[in-house]
Amino acid sequence: MTTSFLLNEQLVQSNSDPITPLLDVLRNELGMTGTKQGCDHEGECGACTVLLDGQPVRSCLTPLGRIAGRSVLTIEGLGTEGNLHPLQSTFIEVGAVQCGYCIPGMLLASKALLDREPHPGRAQILSALEGNLCRCTGYTRIVQAVELAAQRLQNPQAALAPASRPIGGSALRSDSLGKVTGKAEYAEDIKMPGALHMLVVRSPHHHALLRGLDASRAANMPGVKRIITWRDIPNLNGFPDYSLEEPVLTPVGDTLRMRGAPIALIVAENEEQAAAAREALEMDIEALPYTFDMDEALKPGAVHIAGDGNELSRYAVQRGDLEGALRASGHIVEATFETAFLEHTALERESLVGRIDEAGRITVLGGTHQPHNQQRYIAEMLGLPLDQVRVIVPPVGGSFGGKQDPWPFAAVGLATYLLRRAVRLIYSRRESFDASPKRHPYRVQCRIAATNDGKLTALSARIDCNTGGYDGAGRYIPNYAVTAMGGAYRWRAVDILARSVYTNGPKSGQYRGFGTAQSTFALECALDELIEKLGVDPVEFRLRNCIGQLEDVFLGYPLLDTLGYAQVLKAVKPHYQQFAKEAESFNKENPGGSVRRGVGLSGMWYRFGKAGSLKVEAHAELAGDGHFIFYCSAPDYGQGTNTVMSQMAAEALGVGRERVEIVNADTGRTPNSDIQGASRATFFVGGAVKEAAAVLVLSIFDVAAELLDVPIERLVLMADKVAIRDNEHSVPLSEVAREFDRIGKSRRVSGSFDLTPQLPEQRPEYLPLFITGAHLADVRVDMETGVVKVLRVVAAHDVGRAVNPLDAAGQIEGAVVMGLGAALQEEYLPGLTDGISQYQLPTSSAMPDIQTILVEVPSRLGPYGVKGLGEAALLPSTPAIINAVSRAIGSRLRTIPATPERVLNAIRGRRP
Ligand code: FES
């Protein structure tokens, strides 16, 4: 049966079954991949929004038969590169596009709103976008973009001019155009004719013994190309230096330690055939007792999961005389804080495609923070030389740490190697919830103390970190937990011990802020309790106790770089005073009312850059036509590294950004800049880019000096030429490039940024680089329902130097709303949370008014004075909100998320 409809004003016909979801018709039959899929055809995320006769619909829920004879508008029909719709322009201009995965759906939902309501108010915009999730932006700039587009549609104005300064100007993102027009090709969009489809066979149990596996029947099912088990792995069944014991595929005889643990890979001509074979695979699995609870797991005689008594690792710091410091204290707070498993829920699911490239290499394309490490894991698994494996990072639809997981890369690399054919793996959303790493839940039992005159004295903490069924880098977590626990404060004595504990929960791993946000929550909430006891000003208390420049920290070494904590606290101080005054008046005017207001403050410090190597390399090249190409590996998963690198390169060369091309994150073309996590890309990779630019300029001048017959000192680089200073003579860069080729000199040079010589000592846990920030939250609490509304947030961060202020503010806004989710609503419950519907992500209606303040205390070490930002911006958001709620209700909250039920319990604890 043929279904005809208008698609972007063109008549099209589809021969698919009328019950086929429109999304599948668009993407699979018509090859129009601008419309995105973020859930399992359940209408949960809004990424697939299109307009049907002008009304927004979820194309994943809309059967083809329903659109017969009707008109569909997709992102491809909204506007084109040369003729953008005003919404597409304003989304780019105000910085509303980060990873971009939600953007096609957002744009179409916004268009439908503006078509029916040309002058929407803020509430109407929030309501219209309520069903469209964005995990990156915090919605703030998306709403601003809609407001600006509404103005522009009524009263056409010129577009905002892009910044002229490479660094410090709010540069428009270089990749936004592809993202607002649906042209950007994420891994799932890459067309690979003849690609096989792979599904993973996973454990249905939280803890089980894999007793047997018989693939003979499944292997003979129609379309099945191969059933891959642990026996097919040529060399190493694991991930050295990432996980101590997580397998690529679980061998028969081993235990499956979590639901979703991998057993086998099924590769078939299409998904349906792979799914049928998965059903036919015969497995003998014995369910075992399990626990998600760390106390249970640590009890003598508990079910054995792994390690010594289910403990994975520990780390401790002890300094000073704790008992003496406690005795000298007039005020002590003793409290236990608990956090939950969190799921990244990047809008793009884990999507990868493997192929054999033109050089015969096993090539895997997919989103990751660490292409070169993924390359190494695959090569070690297959027993191949490194240069026989290639990893390429296409545009990535968000990560937040989740796509650091090496497992999907290994699975695709293995299948591509064995079948010598293109293979595609796309997690279902349910599978992503089951099998991707989560944020470690913490339980922090702490005591903090201060003297009567408000000086901090003692901190003791016992931190248990739930690593789940496998060590997904969880053995490093105790170190991160301890490092964050003391904050940027002066203590007379500390005694902090953290340990990582196996349970049968999901494997925990990297999540924005890796192990530090949970400690910051405990510290800053405990501090607020202490401050309340003392009855002093929260800003002044922190200012009084914060460490100064190059001072020794509680970890036993001095800071190596500048610290802007006092400056960020001073930046939020006037806002705190204003908010606190307003909340107090509100509460006074409504005594005994059902609504209370509260204001909370939190500081943070974050050791940035720890995840990767201290020495990072980048390359720079003079292209044949005279423009500049930079090669680095700083994957852009929405945080804007492509743009930042181009800004830093342009600044170093002294040319406009349009002269610079960035080639990023392809192990076949770019040098190893190591892992991009811990907010390190701008500092480390940016430093290497700057150095590479300097080397290239010298190399160009060497050649140009010969051509122009003048000393190098007289030369100056201009946009497309090398000129003689104070002279009209010059030589085009294209001619210089030809001269490089004629004399056989490479037009590509290398530069590196190496922090090693700056470090007075070398040990694994040591890196004295910290960034700081402070958030202030103003909340309203319904005392009868326990429902919290975050009204306003002020967020100040010391970024050293803001390379792209627009993007920096966008990173902070996204982090604020992610922290709001952790504070009030997000909780992954093992065995219960299967998908987005059960995981309460913040929607547009949760968006508070956010004011960002970029404080610039230049780094002594980073290029142009930059520090880091992206991960750290998350840390103070959650404790600021919890402190605000606690102050509003007059009772302390110590477990997050502070759901309405938990808030009510806290309220009732105060008024039995
Ligand atoms: Fe919205 Fe990434 S920009 S999900």
Side-chain angles (χ1 to χ4, degrees), residues 652-670:
L653 294 169
V655 302
R657 211 157 60 92
E658 70 285 351
R659 304 287 307 164
V660 172
E661 175 188 347
I662 300 292
V663 176
N664 196 354
D666 172 351
T667 64
R669 300 180 70 198
T670 58

Side-chain angles (χ1 to χ4, degrees), residues 96-103 106 132-139 142 173 179 186 345-348 396-400 637-638:
V97 184
Q98 291 192 23
C99 85
Y101 212 74
C102 69
I103 295 301
M106 286 284 185
N132 290 69
L133 295 174
C134 176
R135 194 59 161 156
C136 300
T137 65
Y139 304 100
I142 289 174
R173 285 200 179 194
K179 291 174 177 177
Y186 300 80
T345 333
L347 261 278
E348 179 201 30
V396 185
S399 173
F400 317 108
Y637 27 90

